[in-house]
Amino acid sequence: MSETIGKIIREGKAVLGLEFGSTRIKAVLVDETHRPIAQGNWDWENSLEDNVWTYSLEEIREGLQGCYRNLAEDVGAKYGVPLTRLAALGFSGMMHGYMPFDAEGRLLVPFRTWRNTMTGEAARQLGSLFRFNIPQRWSIAHLYQAILNGEEHVKDIDYLTTLSGYIHRRLSGERTLGVGEASGMFPIDSASCDYDREMVEKFDALTADRGFGWTLREILPRVLSAGEKAGELTPEGARFLDPGGTLQPGAPMCPPEGDAGTGMTATNSVRKRRGNISAGTSIFSMVVTEKPMEKAHEEIDMVTTPDGSPVAMVHCNNCTSDLNAWVNLFGEFAGKLGVKPDRDRLYGMLYEAALDADADCGGLVAYNYVSGEPVTGLEEGRPLFVRTPDAEFTLANFMRSHLYSAMAALKIGNDILMKEERVKVDSLTGHGGLFKTPIVGQQLMAAAMNAPVAVMDTAGEGGAWGMAVLADYMIKREEGETLPDYLDNRIFAGRTGSVVWPRSEDAAGFDVFMERYRSALPAERAAVHGLNIRFPKE
């Protein structure tokens, strides 16, 4: 088997997908049957500098090259061949954010990631102008907020893009984005798979008297749909990815996508009435809708699949970060007792304890807000745990309350989607770190959504694998073959997974928890205002 795979790699028939997540960069190399044959990883973390969540260009370069190097080392160790050629490749990253460049390619301000909640005024004004919800993390909200703030750099913008768009341009020279990623920069018209023309004209009219010397279309990336070619790996790009010079240029590149699009691809959730839930540092659900929403909701974003179909997205900034901090604390306590549990075992043990809890968490309430949470109207975060004096304060209830907290804001948005907008969904598929421990995340998420939740056997392969699948679709699709058909017939046919249906007592318990959660939100807001943070400069 290893000789066969080595031959595939040597002949340049393998496909690469690489995704920049919030805490890990991951590369997956797949063979001609879409099976992962090698992987690379690189851990990183965002920084809070001058009250802005960011990653530096040096960290991006180091992470890209380190992850690819780790992949190439995995190939060499497993198959004894160098990674010299690729059949195709594609790059994905955290959606949204703000990366403005001047004509010389210089980044004008530090990368402002999706995690920042500093664009409230701009988001409100644009939402009113467009009659379309513009979330704070969208690139257009960051751009207009910079305009409202009178920031000097705006006049010098030659190109505005996202993290995946930046990487793609460095490797291909092309200013382009996949439509799913582009839909997190500016509203998309699904009929044309391009930026909404009327809204573009409204924005240009709004800023016409500013004298910037650019129009919006001139600085935004060109939009491409899944299956279209978005350039090829240039000699300069190959050296940027692999400074050692082993990788050869020339491989075709698919449109860069966001983590939402790769998540939909990796869970086969691009067909109408299908949905997925990604739960890691942030948490979001995506449901491919049959018709437009009846009205705009601040809690719900309208984005698209990688092939341009409309998607209702509920995005929450916070999911497992606070939960991870508590698990680390328990690990530190175990260390004081002379016990050093395996990290996966520690997570499994604590998560599984939640299954023995009271369905309503016994009166415990937690808020996992490490950063601001637009769904509940908070511009900053303060992780908070609170209980009544007579609450059932047990480890099981404690863990369930924090797992519920990781899902609570998502629940608020999806209640609007399902109950007010009456959106129909046939299936929800979970992926991400929250679902790594078997059953626990599924069972509690099923209770939160009051709907069955599936986890596929490809869930652990994640967005990097989904990106590789999109690159493969570009080079192998037949004339007229749609992305949903390609996934159903070629990628997921015969693949298995597990489905957990909501238990009535869990769903009822989650509703009780949410009553407490909503009623105690003023305490969380008071913590934000009362517990002020001063970040010392280096």
Side-chain angles (χ1 to χ4, degrees):
M1 177 62 74
S2 62
E3 290 182 4
T4 302
I5 296 175
K7 185 173 183 289
I8 290 171
I9 295 171
R10 192 167 49 250
E11 294 178 352
K13 295 179 179 178
V15 174
L16 172 64
L18 192 148
E19 180 162 280
F20 282 74
S22 300
T23 59
R24 174 171 289 189
I25 305 168
K26 185 174 181 179
V28 172
L29 194 69
V30 302
D31 64 13
E32 294 172 298
T33 66
H34 319 104
R35 179 185 55 180
I37 54 177
Q39 295 189 7
N41 294 284
W42 185 268
D43 292 333
W44 71 339
E45 184 58 74
N46 54 191
S47 303
L48 191 61
E49 298 179 6
D50 295 326
N51 222 24
V52 174
W53 292 104
T54 188
Y55 302 85
S56 70
L57 291 184
E58 177 61 22
E59 288 175 311
I60 295 170
R61 181 197 62 78
E62 181 184 33
L64 175 69
Q65 294 175 355
C67 182
Y68 180 82
R69 183 172 60 250
N70 188 241
L71 170 76
E73 290 170 351
D74 190 40
V75 169
K78 287 178 176 176
Y79 311 111
V81 298
L83 186 55
T84 59
R85 290 185 294 155
L86 295 166
L89 70 162
F91 292 84
S92 173
M94 299 165 282
M95 288 179 70
H96 320 296
Y98 186 67
M99 297 188 79
F101 294 86
D102 66 13
E104 282 70 48
R106 293 174 297 206
L107 185 63
L108 294 170
V109 295
F111 174 27
R112 298 170 184 176
T113 77
W114 60 269
R115 199 170 194 176
N116 291 286
T117 49
M118 58 177 67
T119 64
E121 183 181 1
R124 285 190 294 273
Q125 290 191 24
L126 292 178
S128 177
L129 176 68
F130 297 158
R131 296 184 180 179
F132 186 97
N133 180 40
I134 301 295
Q136 289 199 49
R137 65 189 182 282
W138 281 28
S139 305
I140 193 62
H142 280 280
L143 173 61
Y144 191 53
Q145 190 66 55
I147 293 172
L148 294 177
N149 294 345
E151 296 185 39
E152 280 292 317
H153 78 271
V154 175
K155 69 181 187 320
D156 298 320
I157 295 176
D158 179 68
Y159 180 51
L160 176 62
T161 191
T162 64
L163 177 57
S164 69
Y166 165 70
I167 295 295
H168 186 87
R169 188 184 180 195
R170 286 302 305 260
L171 270 62
S172 71
E174 298 289 337
R175 295 184 175 191
T176 188
L177 282 182
V179 63
E181 174 78 323
S183 71
M185 291 192 77
F186 193 88
I188 291 289
D189 175 4
S190 287
S192 64
C193 278
D194 200 359
Y195 303 115
D196 186 283
R197 181 182 56 81
E198 183 179 344
M199 295 184 196
V200 168
E201 292 173 353
K202 287 183 176 180
F203 184 88
D204 284 337
L206 179 67
T207 58
D209 62 347
R210 303 277 182 163
F212 292 135
W214 49 256
T215 63
L216 190 59
R217 277 196 174 274
E218 290 172 342
I219 65 172
L220 287 179
R222 182 167 57 104
V223 180
L224 295 176
S225 185
E228 295 186 83
K229 184 179 177 181
E232 62 181 35
L233 184 64
T234 64
E236 296 79 12
R239 286 194 297 272
F240 187 73
L241 181 60
D242 177 23
T246 302
L247 181 65
Q248 300 302 302
M253 297 183 65
C254 68
E257 265 298 344
D259 51 359
T262 59
M264 284 186 277
T265 302
T267 56
N268 196 18
S269 303
V270 301
R271 196 179 291 279
K272 287 181 173 57
R273 292 178 63 127
R274 291 183 187 173
N276 78 93
I277 297 172
S278 174
T281 302
S282 64
I283 186 169
F284 54 85
S285 64
M286 315 280 293
V287 176
V288 187
T289 61
E290 297 177 284
K291 59 183 181 65
M293 307 284 272
E294 292 183 2
K295 63 179 181 178
H297 299 273
E298 290 184 2
E299 300 86 352
I300 299 172
D301 311 352
M302 289 305 299
V303 291
T304 79
T305 62
D307 60 345
S309 295
V311 174
M313 178 182 192
V314 178
H315 182 284
C316 309
N317 283 358
N318 300 278
C319 186
T320 59
S321 292
D322 187 45
L323 187 56
N324 293 342
W326 282 108
V327 172
N328 290 338
L329 183 68
F330 285 121
E332 183 181 349
F333 172 72
K336 294 292 185 181
L337 296 177
V339 179
K340 293 185 178 180
D342 174 79
R343 186 172 178 83
D344 288 342
R345 184 183 177 196
L346 180 63
Y347 268 91
M349 178 184 67
L350 291 170
Y351 275 39
E352 288 165 5
L355 297 180
D356 297 324
D358 295 321
D360 68 346
C361 304
L364 312 185
V365 178
Y367 297 93
N368 64 334
Y369 299 164
V370 173
S371 62
E373 189 53 77
V375 169
T376 49
L378 290 165
E379 294 187 355
E380 295 182 33
R382 303 291 186 271
L384 180 67
F385 171 69
V386 62
R387 62 188 176 96
T388 58
D390 60 346
E392 292 294 325
F393 191 26
T394 65
L395 176 64
N397 282 338
F398 181 84
M399 288 306 302
R400 182 174 282 222
S401 71
H402 281 82
L403 285 162
Y404 274 5
S405 174
M407 307 169 186
L410 186 74
K411 167 74 168 175
I412 291 171
N414 273 278
D415 277 354
I416 295 171
L417 188 65
M418 306 298 181
K419 296 177 182 179
E420 293 186 27
E421 289 288 341
R422 300 181 297 281
V423 168
K424 303 297 182 183
V425 58
D426 294 330
S427 61
L428 287 170
T429 301
H431 61 111
L434 190 71
F435 299 101
K436 188 173 182 180
T437 299
I439 301 301
V440 181
Q442 271 182 280
Q443 182 172 319
L444 300 186
M445 187 64 75
M449 299 296 106
N450 199 17
V453 174
V455 171
M456 307 183 75
D457 58 9
T458 56
E461 291 152 10
W465 179 73
M467 196 68 235
V469 169
L470 289 172
D472 189 79
Y473 174 63
M474 174 190 65
I475 60 174
K476 292 182 181 175
R477 70 186 180 115
E478 297 177 356
E479 184 70 27
E481 186 176 25
T482 67
L483 181 60
D485 287 344
Y486 187 85
L487 295 179
D488 279 346
N489 300 330
R490 298 212 208 180
I491 306 297
F492 291 96
R495 292 184 180 263
T496 60
S498 63
V499 179
V500 172
W501 292 77
R503 302 194 310 176
S504 58
E505 60 269 31
D506 286 339
F510 200 102
D511 286 342
V512 173
F513 173 85
M514 287 303 300
E515 290 177 12
R516 298 192 186 107
Y517 184 93
R518 288 186 172 95
S519 65
L521 270 170
E524 171 65 19
R525 294 191 177 96
V528 170
H529 294 293
L531 186 60
N532 294 314
I533 298 177
R534 295 292 180 263
F535 300 100
K537 295 183 178 180
E538 295 291 336

